[in-house]
Amino acid sequence: MTRTESDILVIGGGLHGLSVALQLLRAGRSVTILEESWVGRHASGASAAGVRTMFRPVSELPVSVEAAGMWHRIEDLVGDTCGFHANGQLRVAERDTDLISLENRVRETRSAGFKHEEMIDRQTLRRLAPAIAPHCVGALYVCTDGAADPHRTLRAFRVAVLAAGGLICEGTSVTGADHNDTGWKLLCGDRIFRAPVVVNAAGAWAGKIAAMLGDDIPLGVKASMMMVTERVAPFLDPVVSAVGRTLSFKQSEQGTLVIGGGLQGRADVEAQRSFVDFERLARGARAATELFPAVRNIRIVRTWAGIEATTSDHQPVIGASTRSPGVFHVFGFSGHGFQLVPVTGLILRDLIIDTKTSRQIASFAPDRLGVRSAA
Amino acid sequence: MSDHVDLIIIGAGPAGMSAAIAASRQGLSIVVLDEQARPGGQIWRNVEQRRDGALSTVLGRDYAAGAELVDRFRACPADYRAEASVWHIDEGQGTGGGKVFYLKDHQARVLEGRCILLATGAQERPPAFPGWTLPGVMGIGAAQVTLKSGGQIPDGPVWIAGCGPLAYLYAMQLRRAGGTIAGFLDTTPPGRLLPNFFAFLQAMLFQPAPMLKGVAWQLALRCTVPWVPHVAALTADGGDRLKTLTYTTTGGKPVTVEAAHLLVHEGIVPGTHPTLMLGCEQAWSDAQDCFAPKLDEWGETSLPGIFVAGDAGGIAGAQAARLRGELAAVAIMRRLKPSAVAERDAVKRLRSRLSRIIAGRAFLDRYFRPREAACLPPDDTVICRCEGVTAAQIRALTTNGLGDPNMVKAFTRAGMGPCQGRQCGYGVARLTAEITGTHAATVGLYRARPPLKPITLGELAVLDKQRTEA
């Protein structure tokens, strides 16, 4: 028999939902995850899995820097390395004017008290990324950043949640919600799940779920495209992006090149399908070959687009609902949520168990986005 | 910077060529894209080059007969582009037809069509037994390609294991080409004839010539090469390349023999990658033990303006492919040129010829249906060759809710290599079904992700330059 009563129901079995569930389980709460298809089916499984503090909005840095520390000890959290390697992240300058904009960025983060970003010169760039095109003049660098393996991360969090006694109901779509004195009642077809607390971690579908739970949060949808190549001999350790380009370029542990950066495909949210737009993806291929001329003849074997929620200020929604009792939101990571995964669990644990957090999340408040005007 | 045409036909085999000939009569603008250097498809690969040579004799009369259709295709006004490899198709988002992305002369190109006909053929049912990935083990389809294109045969005695018309045909061709067959391990399970005797009579009635030919091949082979019937299990061994193979017949003990070449064949299945990628609805065919796109009586898929003809829509052979190509052409003409009148009688004739072939086909489907063991291999069998994932690794994933090959893919990397899951799709579907106690039909195949054919970063990058400079 499936348990239908829990302390907390988490809607959405992506990485954030799993991370939240894990922390609550370890704090002694019973947690059930309701997942419409299967764990990591959408954005989490389609992620480039960059672990990046570099170049994030300053308001995200306090939690992002904490998350970075957690990634370095991720095995303590989930019993697996998640394929994480701190091989650094680089944001390359191709022109002298790019260097100036990067220097301004470093000044900004330093004045906010963060010292992890540094400028490196042409020679150091060449040493860190020997295959980089000769015209590149320098870069912004964070040596403690890196990348993980998205599928291994999903598997590790899934296994950890199950081991902690969590219940993961896959193929379980929430179709309705009802609230009374005893808490929330979620309808999933002909099944009913009850709990005093509901966490909305439904990614691209979080707006719909928020509405069911009594909140109106305006959200957009992203379908960031990725491509992966055949395996080649190792030639690059850090993850590389570049000023003025939509590109993220790295070599995975398996030797494949994983190329993304946020070029947009097309999403059909209702049908849960996404489509690659090759005429746009070509821009990413062009950026990759201009920064790394030697990759021209490497074959692309797979491309995809992951569906995710995006907010108007590109910062996530993390916090308690001000309208609906017992409802907590965690979504809208706007294409850069992977790195924050370990810390969102802690934030939600604070909010749900202690009803407050000392972590800096004011700029993620659900209400900041305003109520959508009735169109 | 893309061209627009009425109809894009992908594939210049029997279905694609017949459709092009029929549709071009009505003045449609047609582009035919095909991977090979010459028209003919797999069945008539290289037939123009071979029409008078000794190899025609080796390959047989049916092969040589393809030259006639190739001639008519060459003469028709359709714009035929050889060595054009299609790597992506974008459906027209409900407007019908779509965009076809292809590679020619190392250049990525885009072509827009009001209708698209996929005549992309079949693939061999991927083998799955311990040791199938060893050098020295090969599919008969691939062996036949080297025979047709270069006249090459394996050097030294060849073991053949499998069943189905192609296995017997190749064995005959190999012998005519001077090859030696060390033994034929026939994997047709025992007791298949009696329960299907009515289908056998029906096939003899509707398709007497090919049926008699098939029976004659079998008899000739049984009399002249070491023939082992009812082989139920197979293992290839040898470390770095094939040295021995072990076979077990139904109720028998394992027999190990020396082997340098092993060619295997368990029938063919429709190539579903293009239609899967497009999101065309698929249906499980119990008769053929595989998926095929859902098609209406003209070959139109669930997406408007996207048609399938030939074996890509269900295995029925070259003659049926020609008829299905012509039928699709009629439907496409009606859609794009309502003023043109298609002869009702002609359509009726096409349908009646097609139904005779389909009626004859039922026997082959039933008699040569692959045995269960061919589909559910032992634990030490490599399922995904690209990523080196074994059946044991997939079976180990017995966590809850695991009913989707895409999840197996995410967790094991099976299907993530350069073949894009063409080899392991059915294996993973069946193992997933085995784990979850369901059937491959409900489990389904991996989602197919573009590109359909690997394309280099440099080739794709060019598409962006074209856009910005246009």
Side-chain angles (χ1 to χ4, degrees), chain B residues 122-175:
Chain B
Q123 65 168 83
E124 276 189 281
R125 191 182 293 278
F129 57 88
W132 71 273
T133 52
L134 281 176
V137 184
M138 199 179 184
I140 277 186
Q144 211 189 26
V145 168
T146 61
L147 177 60
K148 284 177 180 170
S149 36
Q152 287 174 344
I153 56 168
D155 179 23
V158 176
W159 285 89
I160 295 179
C163 66
L166 188 61
Y168 310 123
L169 170 62
Y170 178 77
M172 296 298 289
Q173 292 173 336
L174 179 66
R175 272 166 22 107

Side-chain angles (χ1 to χ4, degrees), chain A residues 40-218:
Chain A
R41 160 71 181 84
H42 289 289
S44 297
S47 167
V51 176
R52 174 177 65 82
T53 57
M54 186 186 69
F55 217 70
R56 274 183 187 270
V58 173
S59 56
E60 281 183 16
L61 282 180
V63 290
S64 177
V65 167
E66 184 182 0
M70 296 177 79
W71 275 106
H72 284 259
R73 302 181 308 274
I74 198 74
E75 209 169 345
D76 298 344
L77 183 68
V78 292
D80 188 87
T81 65
C82 298
F84 171 67
H85 293 288
N87 286 330
Q89 289 237 3
L90 287 166
R91 190 168 179 85
V92 170
E94 294 178 83
R95 291 161 293 260
D96 290 336
T97 49
D98 298 344
L99 279 179
I100 296 167
S101 79
L102 291 176
E103 279 157 5
N104 289 338
R105 159 73 187 184
V106 174
R107 226 166 285 134
E108 186 193 2
T109 47
R110 301 242 157 172
S111 68
F114 297 97
K115 307 233 170 346
H116 58 289
E117 291 179 353
E118 56 177 313
M119 289 300 295
I120 57 168
D121 61 13
R122 189 189 281 261
Q123 285 73 31
T124 316
L125 173 60
R126 200 79 64 242
R127 184 170 54 73
L128 291 169
I132 198 93
H135 71 272
C136 298
V137 290
L140 184 66
Y141 181 50
V142 176
C143 65
T144 48
D145 278 353
D149 176 332
H151 300 122
R152 202 165 151 182
T153 306
L154 270 167
R155 186 159 56 170
F157 272 85
R158 178 194 170 99
V159 168
V161 163
L162 292 173
L167 185 66
I168 302 176
C169 299
E170 290 171 309
T172 305
S173 172
V174 177
T175 49
D178 202 13
H179 187 258
N180 62 23
D181 297 344
T182 57
W184 286 95
K185 182 170 93 176
L186 297 185
L187 304 166
C188 302
D190 52 2
R191 298 162 76 191
I192 293 170
F193 293 87
R194 292 169 203 275
V197 171
V198 173
V199 176
N200 173 12
W205 296 269
K208 198 176 89 181
I209 297 293
M212 274 184 209
L213 299 170
D215 268 336
D216 190 3
I217 301 175

Side-chain angles (χ1 to χ4, degrees), chain B residues 28-305:
Chain B
L28 296 183
S29 59
I30 303 168
V31 169
V32 181
L33 302 171
D34 190 66
E35 260 192 334
Q36 295 187 40
R38 289 181 190 82
Q42 293 299 339
I43 183 139
W44 296 316
R45 175 182 282 270
N46 224 6
V47 71
E48 284 178 311
Q49 296 278 299
R50 304 271 163 224
R51 80 176 76 207
D52 303 313
L55 203 62
S56 269
T57 329
V58 166
L59 293 169
R61 206 178 296 163
D62 284 350
Y63 174 75
E68 176 266 339
L69 186 64
V70 169
D71 287 343
R72 287 203 287 133
F73 171 66
R74 287 277 198 191
C76 88
D79 174 359
Y80 163 57
R81 301 183 188 171
E83 294 179 305
S85 171
V86 171
W87 52 269
H88 184 55
I89 307 163
D90 228 351
E91 55 135 336
Q93 295 176 39
T95 57
K99 271 185 192 176
V100 174
F101 295 71
Y102 67 101
L103 207 61
K104 187 167 166 62
D105 308 321
H106 299 289
Q107 285 266 323
R109 298 157 199 256
V110 189
L111 186 61
E112 238 172 292
R114 295 166 68 198
C115 281
I116 295 172
L117 174 65
L118 297 161
T120 44
Q123 65 168 83
E124 276 189 281
R125 191 182 293 278
F129 57 88
W132 71 273
T133 52
L134 281 176
V137 184
M138 199 179 184
I140 277 186
Q144 211 189 26
V145 168
T146 61
L147 177 60
K148 284 177 180 170
S149 36
Q152 287 174 344
I153 56 168
D155 179 23
V158 176
W159 285 89
I160 295 179
C163 66
L166 188 61
Y168 310 123
L169 170 62
Y170 178 77
M172 296 298 289
Q173 292 173 336
L174 179 66
R175 272 166 22 107
R176 284 189 224 127
T180 319
I181 296 172
F184 196 114
L185 308 175
D186 191 285
T187 57
T188 315
R192 281 277 173 94
L193 188 57
L194 223 52
N196 298 310
F197 202 73
F198 178 73
F200 175 75
L201 293 178
Q202 201 180 15
M204 280 294 191
L205 181 68
F206 289 118
Q207 292 290 297
M211 282 295 290
L212 288 171
K213 200 162 49 187
V215 171
W217 290 340
Q218 272 223 30
L219 286 175
L221 289 168
R222 279 170 194 253
C223 297
T224 50
V225 306
W227 184 273
V228 184
H230 312 323
V231 169
L234 200 62
T235 304
D237 286 299
D240 58 340
R241 72 158 287 128
L242 176 69
K243 293 198 178 80
T244 61
L245 70 89
T246 305
Y247 60 86
T248 314
T249 55
T250 308
K253 289 200 175 107
V255 177
T256 300
V257 291
E258 277 182 33
H261 301 283
L262 171 62
L263 301 182
V264 291
H265 181 74
E266 292 288 350
I268 56 176
V269 294
T272 46
H273 250 63
T275 47
L276 276 173
M277 193 189 76
L278 278 160
C280 301
E281 284 175 39
Q282 307 278 325
W284 177 262
S285 160
D286 249 333
Q288 302 197 329
D289 212 33
C290 61
F291 283 99
K294 270 190 195 167
L295 303 176
D296 72 3
E297 54 176 343
W298 303 99
E300 190 164 9
T301 65
S302 60
L303 297 178

Side-chain angles (χ1 to χ4, degrees), chain A residues 158 231 279 296 300-301 303, chain B residues 99 387 400 420 450 455 458:
Chain A
R158 178 194 170 99
R231 297 175 185 223
E279 282 161 303
R296 288 196 62 82
I300 302 161
V301 297
T303 65
Chain B
K99 271 185 192 176
E387 296 289 330
N400 64 339
Q420 296 153 312
I455 167 177

Side-chain angles (χ1 to χ4, degrees), chain A residues 38 41 151 155 158 168 170 231 254 266 278-279 282-283 286 296 298-304, chain B residues 87-88 93 99 387 400 404 407 410-411 416 420 447 449-450 454-458 460 464 468:
Chain A
W38 40 270
R41 160 71 181 84
H151 300 122
R155 186 159 56 170
R158 178 194 170 99
I168 302 176
E170 290 171 309
R231 297 175 185 223
Q254 289 83 20
R266 190 161 55 82
F278 272 98
E279 282 161 303
R283 179 145 306 176
R286 183 179 175 182
R296 288 196 62 82
I298 297 175
R299 296 182 303 166
I300 302 161
V301 297
R302 213 155 11 97
T303 65
W304 65 87
Chain B
W87 52 269
H88 184 55
Q93 295 176 39
K99 271 185 192 176
E387 296 289 330
N400 64 339
D404 190 323
M407 199 173 178
F411 281 7
M416 287 194 184
Q420 296 153 312
R447 274 191 305 279
R449 282 173 159 161
I455 167 177
T456 69
L457 285 165
L460 178 59
D464 184 53
T468 48

